[in-house]
């Protein structure tokens, strides 16, 4: 266990250095050179000091002022001190820049890894724990690791420098002095391990706390939280979560503080022993006074340095352990979707989209036992409008996601012109989806539409055309800055849209994508009845030549579909066109009658 940890620490240290190298190699080299030079300066100063000290002791204090040989030495030390001061300042400035650059590099790596992760991963709490820890580790930790490593490197060099000067004078005391640091290093190591374990245990706790923070500070949530007067309940939960974190941390630190104090006492006793031995040696004239004096100074300097170094190591250790989290997350993931080698953007004409089939698709969400989609087979001919209907939870949305290539099915496959679809990434490029819970990008309206085709620069004329087709152009034109208006009032000059207007924007995005397969999951849920009717009657014309999968729980709106699949419990229980399904008198007919009755009742009251 300890060994594995040590190895992880060493490779994390290499990782941190590599990051710094990638971020700004010149700054890294600059900083390292400064550290080496100052360590060398420290050794020189020590040796000169010892020389001065020795000659003063040998010739008596009165000789010190007179001896001309001393003056250049003292002046040399002073000049070198000033030079190193300047050097160190330049190193610090370079270090600050390096920190910023490493931060950017690492945060970018985490974002890229998150983007590359397969959608399925986002269903797993463990993934979110790992992501949270990586984000946590990406915030200043790598840069801090580099700072700490550099400082430790410098401390190590000065330990070596002092140790070297010391070794000349009283080498036989060296093991004792080094030994004095061992208990402290051991205790720090143990605390570090425990702290890291706690950090892992608290991941989910922290995620919940951060979620509550978002709820309490977000604009979208602010409304309902006030309407329900939920603020104090949520802050109460936030306090609870935080209290738990603080409590566990406090408990851990308290139990380890005692251990570290004991270790420090042992180390201190060993240092005292070393000084005592020197005292005794000088007293018994076994050692010249000048050497004993310099050795005492050396023991003191060395033990202070070693202790600082040990403390630093424990800080670095903790930091580097966090970096292991970052590495684990950003390492290439065997489950990740490889990014396309070249930006691909084939147009509809380039990719013939023929007969599309789904064969015996099965899918179970991670963390659940019941399949959400079971043995579903569908047939979609080019240019057809196919509808998926069924009550809430019957698996429509899940099936839509499978058809869109967002999840690989557990079993079964998609077929295009009889060929199994193996590249889901390429399949997604041929698909435009309007999600039931589509995303409202709080960015300019034009982006909300042009994101339908992110690999090509936005074409203003086509953006307007897509907006027009979705019935969004009119209200967009009235925004303060028309299509350039940011759609979030938390941004300067921003505006907000109504639910139905947002939905039209999502539709416009699908029009703009101009893909041969279009999947619309309840695309009219937020539209009024008139708008819904209009959209459905125009659907065929608007998406002419494309294969359309239309999901709706309002059966009235899908009765014109070429083929209707009725889902129940994740399975297709009936299929056919509206007339034949009604004639069958099964589940569809039941649902249709219930809805028709509801309309009639509403009409008569
Ligand atoms: N992310 C998810 N994780 C686990 N189960 C899910 C998830 N999304 C949906 N389900 C479940 O899968 C089933 C089908 O859901 P869904 O496809 O959304 O149905 P529909 O769109 O027809 O309302 C439901 O039982 C639902 O609870
Ligand atoms: Mg749904």
């Amino acid at each position: 266990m300890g060994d594995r940890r040590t190895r992880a620490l060493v490779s994390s240290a290499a990782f941190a250095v590599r990051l710094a190298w990638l971020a700004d190699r010149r700054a890294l080299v600059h900083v390292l050179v400064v550290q080496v030079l100052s360590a060398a300066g420290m050794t020189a100063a020590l040796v000169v000091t010892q020389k001065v000290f020795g000659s003063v002791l040998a010739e008596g204090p009165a000789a010190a002022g007179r001896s001309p040989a001393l003056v250049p030495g003292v002046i040399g030390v002073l000049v070198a001190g000033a030079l190193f001061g300047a050097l160190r300042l330049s190193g610090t400035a370079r270090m600050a820049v390096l920190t910023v650059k490493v931060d950017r590099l690492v945060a970018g790596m985490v974002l890229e890894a998150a983007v590359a992760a397969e959608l399925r991963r986002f269903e797993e709490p463990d993934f979110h724990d790992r992501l949270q820890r990586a984000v946590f580790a990406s915030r200043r930790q790598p840069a801090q690791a580099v700072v700490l490593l550099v400082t430790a490197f410098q401390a190590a060099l000065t330990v070596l420098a002092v140790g070297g000067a010391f070794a000349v004078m009283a080498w036989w005391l060296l093991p004792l002095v080094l030994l004095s640091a061992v208990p402290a290093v051991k205790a720090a190591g143990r605390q570090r391990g425990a702290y890291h374990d706690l950090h892992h245990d608290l991941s989910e706790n922290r995620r919940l706390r951060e979620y509550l923070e978002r709820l309490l500070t977000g604009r979208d949530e602010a409304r309902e939280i006030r309407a329900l007067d939920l603020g104090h309940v949520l802050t109460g939960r936030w306090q609870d979560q935080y209290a738990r974190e603080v409590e566990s941390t406090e408990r851990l630190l308290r139990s380890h503080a005692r251990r570290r104090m004991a270790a420090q006492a042992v180390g201190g006793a060993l240092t005292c022993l070393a000084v005592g031995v020197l005292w005794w040696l000088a007293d018994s004239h076994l050692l010249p006074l000048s050497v004993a004096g310099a050795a005492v100074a050396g023991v003191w300097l060395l033990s202070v340095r070693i202790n600082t170094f040990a403390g630093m190591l424990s800080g670095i250790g903790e930091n580097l352990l966090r970096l292991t989290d970052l590495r684990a997350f950003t390492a290439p993931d065997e489950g990740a979707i490889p990014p396309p080698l070249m930006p691909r953007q084939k147009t509809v004409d380039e990719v013939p989209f023929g007969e599309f089939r789904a064969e015996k698709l099965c899918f179970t969400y991670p963390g659940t036992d019941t399949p959400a989609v079971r043995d579903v087979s569908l047939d979609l001919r080019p240019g057809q409008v196919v509808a998926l209907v069924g009550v809430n939870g019957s698996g429509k949305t899940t099936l839509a996601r499978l058809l869109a290539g967002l999840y690989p099915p557990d079993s079964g496959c998609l077929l295009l012109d009889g060929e199994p679809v193996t590249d889901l990434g390429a399949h997604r490029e041929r698909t435009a989806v309007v999600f039931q819970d589509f995303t409202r990008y709080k960015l300019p309206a034009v982006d909300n539409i042009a994101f339908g085709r992110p690999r090509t620069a936005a074409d203003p004329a086509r953006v307007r055309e897509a907006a027009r087709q979705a019935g969004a152009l009119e209200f967009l034109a009235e925004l303060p800055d028309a299509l350039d208006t940011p759609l979030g009032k938390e941004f300067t000059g921003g505006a907000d849209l109504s639910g139905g207007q947002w939905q039209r924007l999502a539709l416009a995005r699908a029009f703009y994508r101009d893909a041969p397969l279009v999947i619309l999951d309840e695309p009219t849920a937020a539209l009024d009845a008139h708008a819904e009717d209009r959209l459905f009657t125009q659907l065929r014309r608007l998406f002419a030549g494309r294969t359309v999968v239309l999901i709706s729980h309002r059966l009235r709106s899908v009765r014109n579909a070429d083929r209707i699949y009725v889902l129940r419990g994740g399975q297709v229980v009936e299929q056919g066109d509206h007339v034949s399904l009604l004639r069958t008198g099964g589940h569809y007919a039941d649902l249709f009658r219930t809805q028709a009755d509801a309309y009639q009742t509403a009409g008569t009251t």
Side-chain angles (χ1 to χ4, degrees), residues 123 365-368 370-373 390-399 401 407 436 521-522 551 567 570:
E123 306 284 330
Y365 282 101
T368 64
T370 355
V373 164
V391 295
N392 286 340
S394 56
K396 304 183 295 291
T397 294
T398 309
L399 181 55
R401 291 173 184 165
Y407 298 125
Q436 189 169 13
D521 191 355
E522 316 251 1
I551 298 177
L567 286 165

Side-chain angles (χ1 to χ4, degrees), residues 30 101 336 371 487 502:
H30 180 114
K101 288 189 173 170
L487 298 182
W502 273 111

Side-chain angles (χ1 to χ4, degrees), residues 149 379 478:
L149 278 172
D379 234 315
E478 279 169 18

Side-chain angles (χ1 to χ4, degrees), residues 39-108:
M42 160 101 70
T43 320
L46 207 75
V47 169
V48 170
T49 312
Q50 197 243 334
K51 283 241 158 69
V52 173
F53 201 38
S55 63
V56 168
L57 283 179
E59 300 169 26
R66 274 185 282 110
S67 170
L70 265 183
V71 179
V74 172
I75 290 177
V77 169
L78 287 177
V79 169
L83 274 179
F84 287 130
L87 203 62
R88 223 175 263 237
L89 275 182
S90 81
T92 312
R94 222 44 203 273
M95 192 71 223
V97 174
L98 184 61
T99 306
V100 174
K101 288 189 173 170
V102 172
D103 278 347
R104 185 191 59 180
L105 178 74
V106 172

Side-chain angles (χ1 to χ4, degrees), residues 68-187:
L70 265 183
V71 179
V74 172
I75 290 177
V77 169
L78 287 177
V79 169
L83 274 179
F84 287 130
L87 203 62
R88 223 175 263 237
L89 275 182
S90 81
T92 312
R94 222 44 203 273
M95 192 71 223
V97 174
L98 184 61
T99 306
V100 174
K101 288 189 173 170
V102 172
D103 278 347
R104 185 191 59 180
L105 178 74
V106 172
M109 279 165 64
V110 171
L111 290 181
E112 263 167 38
V115 166
E118 213 188 315
L119 183 61
R120 216 187 149 95
R121 291 278 150 90
F122 286 80
E123 306 284 330
E124 301 161 0
D126 178 57
F127 171 83
H128 290 280
D129 280 349
R130 294 197 298 121
L131 174 57
Q132 192 262 350
R133 287 198 298 266
V135 169
F136 189 86
S138 74
R139 278 193 214 125
R140 312 210 61 92
Q141 302 275 331
Q144 229 176 54
V146 172
V147 174
L148 287 172
L149 278 172
V150 167
T151 329
F153 177 62
Q154 184 221 2
L157 286 178
T158 53
V159 166
L160 280 180
V162 177
F166 183 71
V168 180
M169 299 179 276
W171 58 268
W172 33 270
L173 272 179
L174 209 54
L176 197 61
V177 177
L178 290 178
L179 210 63
S180 73
V182 171
V185 170
K186 278 225 141 124

